[in-house]
Amino acid sequence: MSTGNIQKTLTQHIQDQQRTHLEATGHLSALLTQLGVAGKLIAAQVRRAGLIEIWGDTGDTNVQGETVQKLDRIAQDVFVETLTASETVAAMASEEENSIIEVNTHQAGDYIIAFDPLDGSSNIDANVSIGTIFAVYKRHGQDEIVRRDVLRPGREQIAAGYILYGSSTMFVYTAGKTVDGFTLDPSCGEFFLSRPNIRMPDKTRVLSINEGNEAYWPGWVKPFINKIKTRNNQDKRRVTSRHIGSLVADFHRNLIYGGLYLYPADARSPQGKLRVLYECNPLAYMAEVAGGAASDGTKRILDIQPEHLHERTALIIGPKNEVALAEQFIKEHS
Ligand code: AFP
């Protein structure tokens, strides 16, 4: 194989970014690097989805006598174990756990992380793209971890990203300056920079909303999506509709192609369905760094002060002008 054209690896990129921060300690770089490792470990398990179950005799135990776990539980354990061993985090909040996961004091580091180990897990059995989403915060101080260390507005994030297990595995993250994407080369187990400085396109080519929820929508939603659809005319289709049902995959596609994702609060989920800490905040932060926007309909997602670990919100995320248009519709219909 020719070596003349090797792209930057994730580790190299993280180190290069660290060099531009004079006061950097290297701890955030260590954390981000370990997130890449956790992503590779989870990707390896995701590629075995379906096999893990058929190897089990009883559904509970596989041929090696190991307990057969659900993939979302495996992803959770991989994340917690990898990050604890990295000695970079003090506490974690996960979609899979009711309470804050504290790291014992001798292994605790400077950061707090909120994550969804396997977003879109209801899609696993159909081989649809799923992903891990994470948000990173700096710890307030060296005191005992309290809820306010974790229940913080998203604007305090210092890094966020996701690992997408799709037709290839991608690690996409921001530490506040650019959003960069890395593709896993399974033959050598490295993430290579494949999409530097991703920018959210201004134009909405894709509209993503679960139209099955129409019966529960508040008044503004239908006229708003109709308005977007009227951009299509006889000679040109400008907008198309795509909804995967894995937020992380819907967001990634929209970030690349240009699209607007909506999950409004509705009669079934009056607070909205998606979780603030580990779904909406990290993606909102990435959207903003990439030039887009994210709102709950009246305010910036990153300004929500969460009261609970698993708090929910409405989400409108995509190009700035489209998010503003949705907010205008909400105002006009309230
Ligand atoms: P799961 O991880 O339980 O599959 O939840 C996924 C999710 O939070 C988000 O990723 C999807 O976009 C959303 O739910 C889909 O929900 P609906 O089925 O209500 O559209």
Side-chain angles (χ1 to χ4, degrees), residues 263-265 271-276 280-281 295-297 299 301 304 311-315:
Y263 207 117
Q271 311 304 319
K273 166 162 184 196
L274 302 173
R275 312 294 182 144
V276 177
C280 300
N281 272 347
S295 166
D296 69 355
K299 64 178 173 310
I301 289 290
I304 297 173
E311 191 161 312
R312 298 171 190 269
T313 179
L315 176 68

Side-chain angles (χ1 to χ4, degrees), residues 118-122 210 213 243 245-247 261 263 273-274 279:
L118 222 43
D119 176 61
S121 51
S122 58
N210 184 345
N213 290 338
H243 184 261
S246 295
L247 171 65
Y261 177 97
Y263 207 117
K273 166 162 184 196
L274 302 173
E279 289 186 311

Side-chain angles (χ1 to χ4, degrees), residues 31 79-80 83-84 87-94 99-105 107-115 135-141 143-152 309:
L31 169 56
F79 236 64
V80 172
L83 296 182
T84 302
E87 303 193 358
T88 56
V89 300
M92 304 175 231
S94 164
S99 357
I100 297 169
I101 307 161
E102 281 191 51
V103 175
N104 50 62
T105 35
Q107 282 183 301
D110 294 334
Y111 299 98
I112 307 285
I113 188 158
F115 63 93
V136 181
Y137 297 82
K138 186 98 187 319
R139 187 177 174 174
H140 277 133
D143 305 337
E144 195 187 328
I145 294 294
V146 286
R147 285 172 73 77
R148 73 174 183 88
D149 284 293
V150 179
L151 297 177
R152 297 157 69 164
L309 278 187

Side-chain angles (χ1 to χ4, degrees), residues 18-44:
Q18 185 195 319
R19 267 182 227 117
T20 64
H21 289 277
L22 289 176
E23 68 286 7
T25 58
H27 294 177
L28 179 61
S29 302
L31 169 56
L32 292 168
T33 307
Q34 287 311 109
L35 286 167
V37 172
K40 284 186 229 176
L41 292 170
I42 298 170

Side-chain angles (χ1 to χ4, degrees), residues 155-281:
R155 59 173 182 268
E156 293 183 12
Q157 287 170 100
I158 55 162
Y162 53 81
I163 305 128
L164 183 68
Y165 315 105
S167 45
S168 63
T169 299
M170 277 200 84
F171 187 99
V172 186
Y173 89 102
T174 182
K177 282 195 178 144
T178 54
V179 177
D180 300 288
F182 301 79
T183 302
L184 182 65
D185 180 343
S187 65
C188 65
E190 266 302 347
F191 280 111
F192 290 100
L193 182 60
S194 50
R195 287 189 179 272
N197 195 13
I198 303 171
R199 303 297 298 164
M200 169 94 63
D202 291 337
K203 284 212 170 56
T204 292
R205 282 174 56 194
V206 180
L207 183 62
S208 317
I209 185 165
N210 184 345
E211 293 209 46
N213 290 338
E214 185 179 331
Y216 319 109
W217 285 343
W220 67 271
V221 182
K222 194 94 200 289
F224 175 73
I225 66 171
N226 282 345
K227 166 98 181 165
I228 304 271
K229 287 178 193 171
T230 56
R231 292 175 194 164
N232 290 339
N233 56 33
Q234 280 169 346
D235 52 347
K236 192 148 173 69
R237 189 181 73 178
R238 293 183 171 80
V239 184
T240 192
S241 180
R242 297 280 186 275
H243 184 261
I244 297 170
S246 295
L247 171 65
V248 61
D250 279 305
F251 175 79
H252 182 73
R253 182 209 50 239
N254 291 355
L255 182 63
I256 302 301
Y257 293 158
L260 181 68
Y261 177 97
L262 302 106
Y263 207 117
D266 62 26
R268 281 193 331 158
S269 318
Q271 311 304 319
K273 166 162 184 196
L274 302 173
R275 312 294 182 144
V276 177
L277 281 186
Y278 40 78
E279 289 186 311
C280 300
N281 272 347

